[in-house]
Amino acid sequence: MRQGFQAKDVGRVFYGKLQGENAERFRAALKTLQEVFGPIYASDNLIGLQRAGGFREDKKFVETLRRNAETQQELSIAWRLHTLLWAAQNVLHLQGDFVECGVWKGFSFAFLTDYLEFSKIDKTLYLYDTYQGIPEAMNSEKRSNRVYEQDIANDPDAILKVVQRRFANVPNTRIVQGMVPDSFAQACPEQISLLHIDMNSAASEIAALEVLFDKVVPGGMIVFDDYGWTGYAAQRHAENAFMAARGHTVLEIPTGQGLVIKH
């Protein structure tokens, strides 16, 4: 989980060495860009010059975002949510369920299920996570679990309880706790139309793909949350190799996401 710098604008969060003097320099740079280019899109380490960000004109999108976001960081990932929502809307006509591997506190699909009124849709959402951090056996990049440890310091189920609360009104959701891929034995769909992977570990993400890729139906979509972020290159290289071996390629998106349409 990336730690971020929060500018004054609601939902404008950036990640990097943006404290103290650097924060002031960055604010000044954003101000300069606005003066030169007019309105800009700036959040989640994405600065778009003269980009419409048309999803912000969707009243339902904005209201759903604000209704579900509980932190500035959650507000800040609007363009990533737009990508995920686009993928979901374009597979609703297909057979297959929705799957997320790497849930964290459940925000992305809390937003998605709310916007789509998912409880009325004849699909099931499967949410796979340890809800306690990256397991040592799968922590191929040796990432810190500090943010998880802080949240579960007084209650090992604290993150799980947040997710359970967020999906309490979405009965067609299966929350599965455990390490992927072992946890698939508890519950796993036969067919998948949308697969979202955000596990911050090349080992974990490839392990998920090895089981789930063949379950994704033709026309189904796979969205990788971290694919294009420079700090997650191991995942990108592993996923490129996995997809190439199966005749697919990953589209890198400026949000940092990667997109695959199964054929």
Side-chain angles (χ1 to χ4, degrees):
M1 180 60 64
R2 308 174 191 89
Q3 295 299 294
F5 156 76
Q6 178 184 314
K8 294 181 179 179
D9 306 63
V10 172
R12 179 175 285 180
V13 173
F14 287 83
Y15 311 98
K17 298 177 180 179
L18 294 170
Q19 292 80 36
E21 182 182 352
N22 282 350
E24 294 304 319
R25 292 171 60 201
F26 185 64
R27 288 191 182 96
L30 285 181
K31 182 178 179 181
T32 299
L33 289 174
Q34 289 174 321
E35 291 170 351
V36 173
F37 293 98
I40 63 174
Y41 184 91
S43 187
D44 196 26
N45 281 24
L46 173 63
I47 298 176
L49 307 178
Q50 300 178 346
R51 296 297 184 268
F55 55 87
R56 295 179 294 180
E57 299 169 2
D58 178 352
K59 182 180 178 182
K60 182 178 179 181
F61 183 99
V62 174
E63 290 178 346
T64 304
L65 174 62
R66 292 189 176 278
R67 183 165 56 247
N68 286 278
E70 298 179 355
T71 66
Q72 290 292 314
Q73 192 274 339
E74 289 180 345
L75 276 175
S76 77
I77 64 170
W79 209 312
R80 277 194 262 177
L81 293 175
H82 168 60
T83 301
L84 190 59
L85 176 61
W86 174 88
Q89 289 173 317
N90 280 278
V91 301
L92 286 175
H93 67 290
L94 299 176
Q95 294 294 314
D97 296 312
F98 287 8
V99 172
E100 181 172 50
C101 295
V103 178
W104 182 223
K105 295 183 179 179
F107 170 63
S108 293
F109 272 83
F111 165 85
L112 199 70
T113 53
D114 187 357
Y115 188 99
L116 296 175
E117 299 182 55
F118 192 78
S119 61
K120 300 177 183 178
I121 295 173
D122 187 22
K123 291 182 182 293
T124 300
L125 168 63
Y126 292 80
L127 299 173
Y128 297 98
D129 204 309
T130 65
Y131 303 102
Q132 295 181 346
I134 304 171
E136 183 178 354
M138 285 293 185
N139 196 357
S140 47
E141 288 78 67
K142 306 300 180 185
R143 297 196 185 281
S144 171
N145 276 319
R146 182 172 56 85
V147 292
Y148 298 94
E149 292 164 354
Q150 290 173 346
D151 281 338
I152 64 174
N154 298 317
D155 180 359
D157 292 327
I159 296 172
L160 176 62
K161 288 174 181 176
V162 171
V163 176
Q164 290 171 332
R165 170 178 58 80
R166 276 182 147 157
F167 292 91
N169 295 320
V170 190
N172 48 335
T173 298
R174 296 290 302 273
I175 300 171
V176 182
Q177 185 176 22
M179 183 178 74
V180 168
D182 298 348
S183 57
F184 295 152
Q186 298 179 46
C188 194
E190 291 298 318
Q191 294 182 303
I192 298 169
S193 55
L194 176 64
L195 173 58
H196 185 233
I197 298 183
D198 183 12
M199 303 175 78
N200 299 338
S201 157
S204 294
E205 298 197 354
I206 295 302
L209 285 171
E210 286 175 344
V211 177
L212 301 180
F213 180 80
D214 288 341
K215 292 176 178 286
V216 179
V217 300
M221 300 204 189
I222 303 170
V223 180
F224 298 104
D225 185 69
D226 299 309
Y227 177 84
W229 290 77
T230 55
Y232 296 78
Q235 293 165 221
R236 182 174 71 257
H237 296 315
E239 286 149 7
N240 283 343
F242 180 95
M243 291 299 168
R246 292 156 180 79
H248 288 71
T249 58
V250 185
L251 173 65
E252 182 177 346
I253 303 172
T255 56
Q257 294 161 297
L259 175 66
V260 174
I261 302 176
K262 180 79 175 289
H263 54 71

